Amino acid sequence: MKIRSRRDKWFDVGNIMFMSAVVFVTLAPFWFAVVGSFNDGLDYLRGNVYLWPREFTIANYKAVFSDTTIYHAFFVTIGRTLIGMTTHVAFTALVAYGMSRKGLKGRNVYLVIMLTTMFFYGGLIPTYLLYKEIGLLNNFLVYIIPSLFSVWDMIIIMSFFRTIPEQIIESAKIDGAGEYRILLQLVIPLTTPVLAAIALFSGVHHWNSYMDAMMFTTKSSLEPVQFVLMRMVTDASYGESFSQQAMSAMPEEAKQVSSATLKLAMMVVATAPIVAIYPFLQKYFVKGVLIGSVKG
Amino acid sequence: MGGAVDAQERVRARRLSAAVRWPRFKSQFALQSMVWPGILFLVLFSYMPMYGILIAFQDYDLFQGVMNSPWVGFKHFQEFVNDPNFLNVLRNTLAMNLLALIFGFPAPIVFALFLNELNNRRFKRIVQTISYLPHFVSWVIFGGLVLTVLSPSNGILNLLLTSLHIIDEPINFIAKPHLFWIIMVLAEILKGIGWGAIIYIAAIAGVDQEMYDAAKIDGAGRFARMWYVTLPAIMGTVVIMLIFAISSILNTGFEQIMVLQNPLNLDVSETIDTYVYKVGLQQMRYSYSTAVGLAKSVVALILLFAANYVSRKVTDNSLF
Amino acid sequence: MKSNFVRVGIVTMLVGSLLAGCSTEKSTETATNSPKSSEAASANPDDKTPIKVTWFVADESYKKNWDPVNNALDKKITEDTGVSIEFTSGNNDKLSALIASGDIPDMITVDKTAPQRGVLENSGLVAPLDELIQQYDPSFNVPKSMQDWFRNPDGHFYGYANYFWAKENRKPGDTLYSNQGLFARKDIMDQLGIKPEDFSTKEGLVAALRKVKDSKTKYNGFDVAPAYFDSWVISSFFGSPREDEQGNLVDRERTPEALEAYRFLNRLYHEGLLPEDSQTLNTAQLTEKVNNGAVFALSKKTIKWDGLYAKDPNAIFVAVGPVIGDQGKQPIVDPVAASGWTLTMVSSKAKHQDRIVKFMNYLTDEEMNLNVTYGPKGITWDYDANGKVKLSDEFIKARDEDAAKAKLKYGNGTLNWLISYMPVQRTLPVTGTLETEGLKSNKHFGKYTYDMLAFENTAPLGGTEEAGISAKLEEVRAKTRAKMILAKSPEDLDKFYKEGIAQEEKLGYQKLYDYQNAKFQEAKKALGVQFVWPTNMKK
């Protein structure tokens, strides 16, 4: 007993050191980016801004928020993330449950139909024409409906559903529960960790997308945050490269903001909210599940 | 001759089996009704636009559209395969992906396993939250930091190695072809380890706690518990991730490679994806890009089925 | 099995209807191609009734919300013309989708080199600009050289180009600048007694760089690296030609001058004057080095050095040289493109074609060029005694506080799609040392530029096989260049040079060359000249 606990202690020390190292190397890039976003743009060109801003400024953030459309864009982004994430997990989990049952007729055919779509994509123009035909262009639903379902997420959820012992489901059936009730009351509570993970993946996907906004909408009332920011940054770096073409006519432009520091501020503004959500989702990952208690 | 009889026979057999099948199917109505929306979704959003793939066999002209562009058969496939650079980019793609499979694939699993062994819940949460932050840093920024660390003039790595007298002269690491693959794979591991671990952490959270208690009573140490309890319990997830990792062995992101690429390492850093991006997509040669993409997809699909087959035989875990 | 067939059937049906849908739309558009004459008759010359015009810009970074209430420029334009614009933007893929769907907005701005441009012109979706002008606003004077340059084989021209240097509009003093040049740090030159003329010969240049190296100059704690040069700039200084005596296109990478440049840079590398990382640093890294003061000499202007200047006004880069090659040829450097950037076109289905054409005419006016650059005259700027632009204090203050906000308020630099740079250049306000030096070096290397127009359409159009070959060759060249410059011996260098050429041949060099030469001859024919290279023209 004594030997084991000492071995345990060494293990813990080693593990904490290993984890601290991981924290250090993974935090560093993010930290540098945050620090850079608070640094003067012109000064940042000189590099070596790491631990702390060398010339502190909030000009980069001012520039990000000077375009007031960004507030509305946050509204759009939060809306699409919440709705998109919920509907995606619900829809995908539903299909996954059906697919997880070994007795499902036609299961292999379904699976082949599904897997094929993971590899073959028709391209942008056919997609555009399709969306036009079914009225998704310039419609908020273009953010929601095309990402309702993902084969990849379905397969992951399905594999988790399949770890639930068959007897549990069978005994529920004998008790007279229907498939939908089994899914809602038995299976989902047992697999919250994976559903939380998929929700996170989907939420991050929704939060970060801008291509769909660029391709399929033209209304500024539908612009998500990432789209507004992406344009801001390409515009800034474009302006800079353009001024080098000996064409720009703006002498002595205020230089507190450069495309590099603006990019960093943008990254912080765009990721801070989604990163802040993570700890709330985390409790679903850490909590262990007790299948035995259900069995008994 | 016997064809007519055969056909009759077959029709009867089908009717018969349909009659037998129908009740079973009906009893499955609830389950089937769960799956159909997914299939309908894919028919609408994936299969309907799929005619766009036909441009791989055409000299696609935007104005003519898919219906009227001239057909050229396998011309674009041939251009790619007969390209003097073909073998080189194929080699680089495979090499980087094999390294990623050997080192990059297990990294998040190992991380998740050790994370699970942390006793302090708060520390555990902090580690987990921080470890996935690099996922949100774009490759342009992340790659820039990698280059800074490796810089010959003031990079930390060179300063460290020279001050420890391990090397005499600073090394321009990113210019050394033999180091590029390793740098690339390490950078990808660093950036993706926390994000990639999320799914394994979710899997570990689903492990029955009773099994740990049982193992404890049996006197299993920490390593033993990781090896004999946790790992087998998440094996299903691991295998599925592995099957997909194998199927995408011809894929590499291009953003990460482009930021670390330079003329001195081009011979080892150009992959199928970066090459096709440069000579295809960037030149708006949609037919060529689609053709290479299609060829890659076919390979991926074959690999997926093969890996699934092998996995079913060997580990009893599989997609289907 | 049956259900599968049904499924396939549904797909085919739907797909069929989609395709049919878009193709019928296309044919109706072609029918309505010609401008509507009935409307023209009723058009009032000074019609200012408010109208809304939709305008797509194929540049995904572009954004402008029309705001005639708060934005001074928008207000002026709407007041002057009655036009309000609803801008949308996106990349070329989105433009392709718009074209495929047949729904295009009233106006479209597209990059002149994009393949979508040709598709638009031939699709009937956009109306010929020459016809529109003739019909609605004959006073709209589009330079003939622009019309000729962008004329479609069908005889019409469809779009107005921005940043086009029309030769008939040029006045004495208008200069097309170059992004190539040779620059060195003035403070270090003064310190070590180096003069700008020292860079005019190879030996002088080497001696100057050696002085920097031998003095072990440090700046801000960083070792100063003598030179970061690009081979193509050096070979231009050596006089590498682009047209031979028969008038054929010459590939500059294969001239003796290019080889001489590689040998020269290889020599600099061996003497420790050109660092190895000159071949590996990306723009951001080199910019960082330059702004840290760790670089003495450079060959391109596209690296920003304002960060360094802001810290130390003495540490400024000035024009030096240019270095002359062994053959003593006149240096000739590339100017910025003269054939413009984008084309703006009018939809053949646009409701108010008459008003749009007048609106375009209004925007291309010389003073409007200044207004879209700085904001409306009288608010953000006015002419000073010398006829140059003087920015108002109000504007300068607002911009220094928050440049992005100022843009929203004054509209400066937000509507460049019909601009010509010439009126702007003539009235350019010059204030600080950095600008003065910039202008000086622009003039210095501007002397060595040539009329590049005929070479500007030799780049293969996107989507063609030649575009693919060109990208492949660029790849080989990037590799070979680095190998040659860092070659261990002159023999190795020659070997790499020959290997590079052999590989290029395998990748389809000849096909690309023939294509480019044909384009080149075409352009010269359109311009009505036999020779365009300065040394050929003198004969």
Side-chain angles (χ1 to χ4, degrees):
Chain A
M1 203 62 193
K2 223 178 187 175
I3 298 167
R4 236 195 59 208
S5 68
R6 193 183 299 156
R7 221 169 53 188
D8 262 14
K9 205 167 263 166
W10 278 115
F11 178 91
D12 282 334
V13 171
N15 197 7
I16 287 173
M17 279 166 62
F18 170 57
M19 287 298 158
S20 304
V22 172
V23 164
F24 179 76
V25 293
T26 50
L27 182 61
F30 199 79
W31 178 254
F32 296 157
V34 174
V35 165
S37 73
F38 282 104
N39 200 77
D40 180 90
L42 202 50
D43 178 68
Y44 187 79
L45 286 181
R46 296 167 55 221
N48 294 319
V49 179
Y50 297 123
L51 293 183
W52 209 247
R54 189 164 50 214
E55 285 187 17
F56 182 85
T57 179
I58 55 163
N60 300 302
Y61 288 92
K62 263 172 126 179
V64 170
F65 287 103
S66 66
D67 187 347
T68 46
T69 53
I70 198 168
Y71 298 108
H72 184 267
F74 263 111
F75 182 70
V76 174
T77 297
I78 292 171
R80 78 170 283 185
T81 303
L82 290 179
I83 300 172
M85 185 171 93
T86 327
T87 51
H88 173 82
V89 174
F91 192 101
T92 308
L94 189 74
V95 181
Y97 178 71
M99 293 293 290
S100 72
R101 301 300 305 279
K102 285 231 158 80
L104 181 79
K105 276 200 62 71
R107 186 170 172 276
N108 278 355
V109 177
Y110 292 148
L111 207 51
V112 171
I113 291 175
M114 289 178 177
L115 287 171
T116 309
T117 64
M118 293 181 76
F119 297 98
F120 301 100
Y121 170 59
L124 215 48
I125 291 176
T127 308
Y128 185 92
L129 295 177
L130 172 71
Y131 289 5
K132 189 189 170 203
E133 205 73 1
I134 59 180
L136 281 181
L137 293 187
N138 265 331
N139 186 336
F140 179 76
L141 289 177
V142 78
Y143 299 144
I144 309 298
I145 293 179
S147 40
L148 263 183
F149 183 58
S150 139
V151 176
W152 167 253
D153 291 355
M154 193 283 294
I155 285 170
I156 295 194
I157 299 178
M158 181 179 83
S159 76
F160 275 70
F161 284 172
R162 276 158 70 179
T163 59
I164 297 170
E166 193 70 17
Q167 321 93 278
I168 304 184
I169 293 175
E170 284 307 318
S171 62
K173 260 191 181 162
I174 291 164
D175 292 346
E179 298 286 0
Y180 282 90
R181 226 181 102 196
I182 295 176
L183 171 64
L184 279 178
Q185 297 186 347
L186 186 70
V187 174
I188 286 181
L190 282 176
T191 49
T192 41
V194 71
L195 296 177
I198 298 297
L200 179 70
F201 294 155
S202 161
V204 168
H205 156 78
H206 275 287
W207 190 270
N208 285 337
S209 323
Y210 65 86
M211 278 307 281
D212 45 9
M214 201 258 291
M215 285 305 303
F216 306 121
T217 71
T218 51
K219 284 192 214 154
S220 55
S221 62
L222 286 176
E223 285 174 359
V225 174
Q226 295 283 5
F227 187 40
V228 173
L229 294 174
M230 179 277 299
R231 250 186 340 210
M232 227 179 252
V233 162
T234 40
D235 190 37
S237 38
Y238 198 77
E240 272 164 21
S241 65
F242 202 55
S243 72
Q244 307 297 340
Q245 305 277 323
M247 283 176 175
S248 162
M250 278 317 221
E252 295 208 335
E253 181 111 45
K255 287 284 171 49
Q256 278 184 309
V257 180
S258 72
S259 68
T261 51
L262 188 63
K263 227 179 266 179
L264 298 176
M266 180 211 90
M267 187 209 90
V268 174
V269 170
T271 54
I274 192 92
V275 168
I277 285 175
Y278 189 51
F280 295 100
L281 278 172
Q282 234 176 359
K283 65 173 179 235
Y284 298 105
F285 297 135
V286 194
K287 200 167 62 184
V289 180
L290 297 169
I291 292 178
S293 62
V294 184
K295 257 191 256 176
Chain B
M1 299 199 296
V5 183
D6 266 5
Q8 257 183 354
E9 198 87 325
R10 241 183 276 133
V11 169
R12 198 179 305 147
R14 201 183 293 156
R15 248 185 233 144
L16 203 76
S17 72
V20 177
R21 263 190 234 140
W22 177 243
R24 252 214 297 176
F25 195 73
K26 207 174 133 196
S27 73
Q28 281 201 333
F29 185 77
L31 277 185
Q32 293 285 345
S33 72
M34 291 173 168
V35 178
W36 290 338
I39 298 292
L40 267 178
F41 177 96
L42 294 176
V43 168
L44 184 63
F45 288 104
S46 293
Y47 283 96
M48 284 213 10
M50 232 179 245
Y51 67 89
I53 290 176
L54 292 176
I55 69 169
F57 305 96
Q58 298 180 323
D59 265 340
Y60 177 63
D61 176 340
L62 188 61
F63 179 50
Q64 308 277 330
V66 181
M67 296 299 275
N68 300 316
S69 291
W71 294 92
V72 296
F74 287 87
K75 177 179 144 189
H76 302 292
F77 297 91
Q78 280 162 350
E79 179 189 337
F80 181 59
V81 175
N82 294 332
D83 191 315
N85 291 317
F86 171 71
L87 283 178
N88 181 259
V89 296
L90 183 66
R91 178 200 69 178
N92 297 340
T93 307
L94 290 176
M96 271 187 250
N97 270 312
L98 283 177
L99 280 175
L101 267 183
I102 296 166
F103 299 104
F105 182 77
I109 302 174
V110 172
F111 174 66
L113 288 175
F114 278 90
L115 185 78
N116 184 48
E117 295 297 327
L118 282 181
N119 296 322
N120 186 327
R121 284 209 157 194
R122 259 180 83 109
F123 185 57
K124 196 171 177 177
R125 282 188 167 204
I126 292 171
V127 173
Q128 202 189 332
T129 309
I130 288 175
S131 69
Y132 93 136
L133 285 180
H135 176 77
F136 295 96
V137 180
S138 75
W139 266 110
V140 176
I141 298 172
F142 193 83
L145 289 166
V146 171
L147 291 177
T148 309
V149 168
L150 299 176
S151 156
S153 49
N154 53 356
I156 299 167
L157 193 59
N158 268 309
L159 291 180
L160 196 74
L161 292 178
T162 42
S163 64
L164 292 175
H165 296 288
I166 296 172
I167 52 174
D168 302 325
E169 283 273 300
I171 297 173
N172 192 3
F173 292 105
I174 201 68
K176 303 285 174 251
H178 59 280
L179 293 177
F180 183 83
W181 293 341
I182 298 165
I183 293 172
M184 196 63 235
V185 171
L186 278 178
E188 279 187 327
I189 290 177
L190 274 186
K191 192 166 183 297
I193 191 166
W195 185 253
I198 288 176
I199 198 69
Y200 300 115
I201 292 168
I204 291 172
V207 176
D208 196 343
Q209 290 301 310
E210 280 178 7
M211 304 203 346
Y212 285 107
D213 299 337
K216 233 180 221 168
I217 293 164
D218 288 350
R222 302 284 280 276
F223 280 109
R225 260 154 47 196
M226 276 199 296
W227 190 256
Y228 293 109
V229 180
T230 318
L231 196 56
I234 64 169
M235 210 53 194
T237 310
V238 172
V239 165
I240 285 181
M241 302 301 272
L242 186 63
I243 290 173
F244 279 102
I246 289 171
S247 80
S248 58
I249 199 146
L250 292 180
N251 292 343
T252 52
F254 59 80
E255 212 185 340
Q256 53 263 53
I257 294 180
M258 299 283 249
V259 291
L260 297 182
Q261 208 168 48
N262 65 52
L264 289 181
N265 63 30
L266 262 181
D267 276 329
V268 293
S269 65
E270 201 74 280
T271 64
I272 295 178
D273 285 345
T274 57
Y275 190 66
V276 171
Y277 176 75
K278 286 179 194 172
V279 308
L281 218 51
Q282 260 188 343
Q283 312 303 324
M284 301 200 220
R285 300 175 68 216
Y286 300 116
S287 286
Y288 175 81
S289 315
T290 309
V292 178
L294 183 60
K296 276 176 51 193
S297 295
V298 171
V299 173
L301 203 59
I302 293 170
L303 283 173
L304 181 82
F305 282 98
N308 187 63
Y309 176 82
V310 171
S311 158
R312 194 170 49 203
K313 294 280 164 207
V314 176
T315 70
D316 211 32
N317 274 304
S318 66
L319 284 176
F320 48 91
Chain C
M1 203 55 210
K2 197 183 162 199
S3 63
N4 265 349
F5 272 128
V6 173
R7 220 170 275 137
V8 171
I10 292 173
V11 173
T12 336
M13 255 168 53
L14 285 166
V15 167
S17 71
L18 276 182
L19 292 172
C22 87
S23 55
T24 46
E25 264 168 67
K26 248 175 217 156
S27 54
T28 49
E29 272 137 27
T30 335
T32 57
N33 188 357
S34 55
K36 299 163 196 111
S37 44
S38 57
E39 265 178 50
S42 65
N44 175 340
D46 287 312
D47 190 0
K48 285 185 189 173
T49 45
I51 56 165
K52 234 193 179 82
V53 170
T54 52
W55 186 343
F56 176 83
V57 179
D59 170 3
E60 59 181 318
S61 72
Y62 183 66
K63 173 182 176 168
K64 184 170 170 70
N65 291 330
W66 199 255
D67 182 3
V69 180
N70 304 309
N71 185 303
L73 179 70
D74 300 357
K75 188 170 169 219
K76 179 183 163 57
I77 293 175
T78 302
E79 276 173 7
D80 288 352
T81 64
V83 174
S84 311
I85 304 168
E86 200 182 303
F87 275 109
T88 50
S89 68
N91 55 17
N92 281 333
D93 291 338
K94 179 161 186 177
L95 180 56
S96 299
L98 286 175
I99 295 172
S101 76
D103 273 344
I104 62 164
D106 299 335
M107 297 173 76
I108 286 198
T109 296
V110 54
D111 195 293
K112 67 169 190 225
T113 59
Q116 282 85 353
R117 176 195 142 202
V119 174
L120 269 173
E121 291 181 353
N122 296 326
S123 67
L125 290 172
V126 292
L129 198 55
D130 45 355
E131 283 184 7
L132 291 180
I133 288 172
Q134 204 183 359
Q135 192 158 7
Y136 298 123
D137 189 0
S139 72
F140 187 2
N141 180 22
V142 178
K144 174 130 191 324
S145 62
M146 187 196 288
Q147 298 195 26
D148 289 345
W149 188 249
F150 290 110
R151 200 177 298 285
N152 188 285
D154 70 5
H156 295 294
F157 88 102
Y158 289 84
Y160 189 93
N162 65 347
Y163 295 104
F164 187 88
W165 289 74
K167 58 172 182 273
E168 56 267 51
N169 292 354
R170 279 187 220 175
K171 290 182 185 165
D174 288 350
T175 330
L176 266 170
Y177 297 144
S178 170
N179 281 327
Q180 304 175 333
L182 205 55
F183 306 92
R185 282 268 297 280
K186 189 162 187 308
D187 52 341
I188 300 177
M189 283 167 62
D190 290 347
Q191 209 179 309
L192 300 174
I194 302 168
K195 284 187 226 54
E197 308 82 69
D198 295 350
F199 294 85
S200 306
T201 61
K202 278 164 129 180
E203 293 314 315
L205 191 148
V206 171
L209 296 181
R210 257 194 218 131
K211 269 188 203 169
V212 175
K213 184 188 172 225
D214 295 342
S215 68
K216 294 213 164 65
T217 304
K218 280 196 177 242
Y219 184 87
N220 240 346
F222 293 100
D223 295 323
V224 174
Y228 281 86
F229 291 156
D230 296 307
S231 58
W232 55 92
V233 180
I234 303 296
S235 76
S236 289
F237 288 147
F238 291 171
S240 133
R242 298 185 76 178
E243 183 189 47
D244 68 14
E245 286 174 2
Q246 286 76 45
N248 286 315
L249 185 72
V250 170
D251 173 10
R252 277 188 288 190
E253 285 283 317
R254 291 196 179 178
T255 57
E257 288 84 1
L259 191 57
E260 186 188 343
Y262 290 125
R263 288 184 177 140
F264 183 57
L265 291 184
N266 182 243
R267 176 181 162 199
L268 294 184
Y269 168 66
H270 279 290
E271 293 201 27
L273 304 175
L274 182 85
E276 186 202 27
D277 68 8
S278 63
Q279 301 308 307
T280 59
L281 290 188
N282 62 28
T283 311
Q285 288 175 293
L286 184 54
T287 306
E288 188 179 312
K289 263 199 124 132
V290 167
N291 283 286
N292 276 322
V295 175
F296 171 65
L298 276 174
S299 68
K300 60 180 155 205
K301 204 173 62 181
T302 45
I303 299 289
K304 283 163 73 79
W305 50 64
D306 348 14
L308 176 67
Y309 174 76
K311 285 271 148 9
D312 176 3
N314 293 319
I316 191 164
F317 281 89
V318 295
V320 295
V323 58
I324 310 258
D326 290 343
Q327 300 179 55
K329 282 192 181 174
Q330 160 90 354
I332 298 176
V333 295
D334 292 355
V336 295
S339 59
W341 171 25
T342 64
L343 291 181
T344 298
M345 309 182 181
V346 182
S347 160
S348 51
K349 286 198 290 189
K351 247 196 215 146
H352 306 283
Q353 287 181 334
D354 51 336
R355 299 280 299 278
I356 292 172
V357 172
K358 289 192 184 111
F359 173 66
M360 287 171 75
N361 188 3
Y362 165 81
L363 278 181
T364 54
D365 172 75
E366 285 208 4
E367 198 170 284
M368 268 319 278
N369 281 328
L370 300 177
N371 287 333
V372 300
T373 305
Y374 304 108
K377 184 182 165 203
I379 301 177
T380 57
W381 67 277
D382 218 324
Y383 292 112
D384 70 2
N386 303 319
K388 303 272 181 198
V389 163
K390 188 181 182 310
L391 300 178
S392 71
D393 295 340
E394 174 198 336
F395 175 56
I396 292 176
K397 192 168 158 254
R399 204 185 50 181
D400 284 350
E401 252 167 43
D402 189 338
K405 218 174 182 169
K407 250 186 171 185
L408 290 172
K409 188 169 172 199
Y410 300 106
N412 50 299
T414 58
L415 195 64
N416 292 334
W417 306 115
L418 292 164
I419 200 176
S420 158
Y421 189 66
M422 281 182 274
V424 180
Q425 194 192 54
R426 285 170 205 148
T427 56
L428 206 59
V430 170
T431 37
T433 322
L434 197 63
E435 279 77 25
T436 322
E437 278 305 330
L439 203 62
K440 251 201 242 164
S441 62
N442 277 342
K443 289 217 169 109
H444 181 74
F445 292 108
K447 284 188 301 220
Y448 301 105
T449 57
Y450 58 99
D451 187 351
M452 199 172 67
L453 199 56
F455 298 95
E456 283 179 31
N457 74 341
T458 55
L461 267 187
T464 57
E465 200 184 328
E466 285 80 7
I469 299 176
S470 158
K472 288 176 193 172
L473 294 192
E474 197 33 63
E475 176 112 349
V476 175
R477 289 184 173 180
K479 280 192 230 176
T480 314
R481 246 180 234 137
K483 275 186 202 157
M484 287 192 284
I485 292 168
L486 305 181
K488 289 210 175 68
S489 66
E491 294 75 38
D492 276 0
L493 193 156
D494 291 349
K495 198 185 84 195
F496 293 139
Y497 185 74
K498 284 191 193 107
E499 279 173 5
I501 286 181
Q503 203 172 358
E504 284 177 12
E505 295 296 337
K506 268 196 270 173
L507 289 167
Y509 177 86
Q510 198 55 42
K511 186 167 183 182
L512 177 67
Y513 173 79
D514 291 343
Y515 172 94
Q516 290 185 312
N517 193 27
K519 283 269 204 174
F520 177 56
Q521 303 307 335
E522 229 171 72
K524 285 201 289 186
K525 216 171 145 197
L527 294 171
V529 291
Q530 204 181 352
F531 293 109
V532 288
W533 194 247
T535 52
N536 289 340
M537 282 155 71
K538 275 172 204 157
K539 279 172 195 169

